[in-house]
Amino acid sequence: MCGIAGWIDFERDLCTERAVVSAMTETLAPRGPDDAGIWLAPHAALGHRRLAVIDIEGGRQPMTAEAGSEGEAGAGAVLTYSGEVYNFRELRAQLEAKGHRFRTRSDTEVVLRGYLEWGEGVADRLNGMYAFAVWDARTEELLLVRDRMGVKPLFYCLLPGGGLLFGSEPKAILAHPRAPRTVGADGLREILTIVQTPESSLYQGLHEVRPGQLVRIGRDGLSKRRYWRLEAREHTDDLDTTIGTVRELLADIVERQLVADVPLCSLLSGGLDSSAITALAVGHGDLRSFAVDFAGLADHFEDDGMRGSPDGPYVRDVVRHLRPAHTDIVLETAGLAEPRLRAELVRAWEYPQFSGDMNTSLHLLFRAIREHSTVALSGESADEVFGGYAWFHLPEAVAAPTFPWLVFVMRRQRPDDLFDPALRKQLDVVSYERDRYQEALAEVPHISGADARERRMREVSYLHLTRFVTMLLDRKDRLSMAHGLEVRVPFCDHRLVEYVFNAPWSMKTFDGREKSLLRAAVSDLLPVSVLERRKSPYPATQDPAYGLDLRTNLAELIAEGTAPVLPLLDQRAVKALLATPPEATSSTLTRISLEMVLDLNAWLQSQALRVDL
């Protein structure tokens, strides 16, 4: 896993711009602590920060290759690449059969020589998580490629007067002196909707390469093409065959994703998803596992409507059953709301998303794991693939003419509104949500003849796989890579996603529960307690002291009087909130309101952003 950055400009000589490209690349140093490289040509400058995972000695980047198998003078193509391709050995064998000669053992060189052989068609052959840029010196064109599910991030920006910047993270682009540092109305709307619109970003002028998309830029301008999207296919397998296929796919996926030349572990929560991945991985040899918990949570746990039980007892059941070398990372509530830690987190993610202590604890968990491992396997995305969230099974949410999670999270638990009513009216977030929802629905591929229930659940699945999971994948990538930890996501293998997406909803819930297919596919691997456990999200602290700390942080921010978020707030609502009894601050609604304001302020402050409405 690595960080990439670059600059294309046909109107200037970029050979003289090493300092600028180095500054862009250096912002990604946490993603790639092991090595750095810059490649310059008159109209292309590529940067790379490397986290060495496969072929530690080889695989340095940016990597160049000649145009022909026999070799030609000069580079035919130059690659800066982030990610892992899990079928690189098969592709390497195919390329060797066509006459390509390899200098390294890395998957990086396979991608590069694959481009020379197949052009942009190389993307169709890759199985993995990746984001990369190829400069073709023969045609003077840049190709940006992102993996099918969007596990790895990739952004770009067209400069006024010509030229293009790109980077794994917005901060790499913002390090360029000509990049805009502005947040517009749509950026604020994205923050307030809990929906991630494909190709958009929170920054004016910055775009995200859509999952499964190619972006090409040359002297004739920019073009885009989607090389992968979810398609509707008739599912003809019976239930037993479907369960067996899911198991076979998962076994193959996990085996492929265990390849690494550095220490590897699993993230274990005691839930079905992470336990299944851990069980499949343990079958291939020794494995370390890590879990996060809050000090004292089990002793004072209360069902909060989403979490019916603490993780700890289930983690212990899995550890007794599978015998991984396990470590619990236990966090204290004190300090989770500390402004310094919030600023660190928002700087890493560059997205003010108000999940509060869940984000902070994940950040601290990854920091602790990195002391022992460089690669981790995660159960992320199983809920989107197999239908695990509560709102998949809530008639009110399924029937609502909007994104189902908004009904569950925002409609039923609308936070106190601390933003200026005039701003709310100007942004008209409700209309923005409606428009984005209609755009998403228009993309959904359907099977002819499906009944209304199956048709609607296909839509719900599609919304989660294209508008919801990307937020969680982005969070996991950014918070893990802030510590140089590569997190792999087996449930995002496109073969599994395609297969389960087309399985009927009646089959996905054949036992009357969530994630029926997954539970049946791994039933022989896990303890009964885990198989019977109700879906429980990532843990959150229940210590009321956390809410009080948030309240104190807001009061200090208001008193300081210079915070960039202040012009966006309803001062009367803020004063009313701070005047309420301290114990009221522990409510979920109030905590969400506080997190929203504090995160937004930290984000604006960390990058010296200007709000332009």
Side-chain angles (χ1 to χ4, degrees), residues 169-460:
E169 300 176 4
K171 62 174 66 73
I173 295 173
L174 296 180
H176 191 285
R178 292 170 59 198
R181 286 181 169 270
T182 305
V183 182
D186 280 351
L188 291 180
R189 291 178 181 119
E190 284 284 308
I191 292 169
L192 297 175
T193 56
I194 321 183
V195 177
Q196 194 165 60
T197 304
E199 301 190 51
S200 70
S201 86
L202 305 185
Y203 307 82
Q204 279 190 356
L206 269 67
H207 308 277
E208 192 167 23
V209 178
R210 183 176 185 144
Q213 186 180 60
L214 309 168
V215 176
R216 183 180 294 277
I217 184 162
R219 293 183 181 275
D220 295 332
L222 182 143
S223 63
K224 298 180 289 188
R225 181 178 73 83
R226 292 178 66 183
Y227 70 91
W228 182 85
R229 68 184 75 203
L230 285 167
E231 297 178 351
R233 299 169 187 162
E234 196 74 38
H235 188 82
T236 58
D237 292 344
D238 62 19
L239 179 59
D240 288 342
T241 302
T242 300
I243 293 170
T245 301
V246 169
R247 173 62 172 268
E248 290 172 6
L249 284 169
L250 282 172
D252 178 69
I253 291 164
V254 171
E255 182 177 8
R256 288 176 181 271
Q257 297 195 19
L258 288 171
V259 175
D261 294 335
V262 292
L264 180 146
C265 69
S266 73
L267 306 177
L268 180 61
S269 70
L272 177 63
D273 316 335
S274 65
S275 300
I277 296 301
T278 301
L280 290 165
V282 163
H284 293 278
D286 295 338
L287 181 75
R288 295 201 66 159
S289 62
F290 293 87
V292 67
D293 201 358
F294 293 98
L297 178 62
D299 298 331
H300 307 286
F301 182 86
E302 295 182 5
D303 188 333
D304 65 2
M306 294 183 67
R307 300 166 185 84
S309 56
D311 288 348
Y314 299 93
V315 169
R316 290 190 286 274
D317 286 351
V318 174
V319 171
R320 281 193 294 267
H321 191 75
L322 300 177
R323 301 294 180 184
H326 183 73
T327 301
D328 285 318
I329 307 298
V330 181
L331 303 176
E332 298 286 343
T333 299
L336 285 179
E338 188 178 325
R340 176 195 57 79
L341 189 57
R342 183 181 302 277
E344 188 178 299
L345 186 149
V346 173
R347 170 70 178 169
W349 191 5
E350 300 176 286
Y351 196 107
Q353 210 275 345
F354 42 91
S355 296
D357 59 295
M358 291 186 287
N359 294 339
T360 310
S361 63
L362 191 63
H363 186 55
L364 296 174
L365 171 66
F366 290 149
R367 175 184 293 171
I369 291 174
R370 186 60 176 89
E371 296 178 5
H372 309 280
S373 294
T374 308
V375 177
L377 299 182
S378 167
E380 192 80 87
S381 307
D383 289 307
E384 290 81 5
V385 174
F386 289 96
Y389 292 117
W391 48 84
F392 271 92
H393 311 275
L394 183 70
E396 173 193 354
V398 171
T402 189
F403 299 99
W405 57 90
L406 296 183
V407 176
F408 191 85
V409 177
M410 297 296 283
R411 300 291 195 269
R412 296 175 65 193
Q413 302 181 3
R414 198 76 193 184
D416 299 331
D417 190 357
L418 298 181
F419 289 91
D420 187 335
L423 173 65
R424 282 281 188 179
K425 182 177 181 180
Q426 179 180 356
L427 294 178
D428 192 6
V429 172
V430 173
S431 294
Y432 185 79
E433 289 175 0
R434 182 187 63 238
D435 293 344
R436 300 293 82 77
Y437 174 70
Q438 292 300 327
E439 289 173 0
L441 274 192
E443 297 175 2
V444 181
H446 284 286
I447 295 288
S448 61
D451 63 33
R453 172 68 170 169
E454 289 290 344
R455 183 180 177 87
R456 178 54 180 164
M457 294 315 297
R458 177 179 288 269
E459 292 174 345
V460 170

Side-chain angles (χ1 to χ4, degrees), residues 6 18 30 57 110 153 180 223 302 336 399-400 464 493 500 507 552 563 567 613:
R18 177 176 290 273
E57 299 303 320
V110 171
S223 63
E302 295 182 5
L336 285 179
H464 282 80
D493 186 292
V500 177
M507 194 175 281
T552 299
L613 302 177

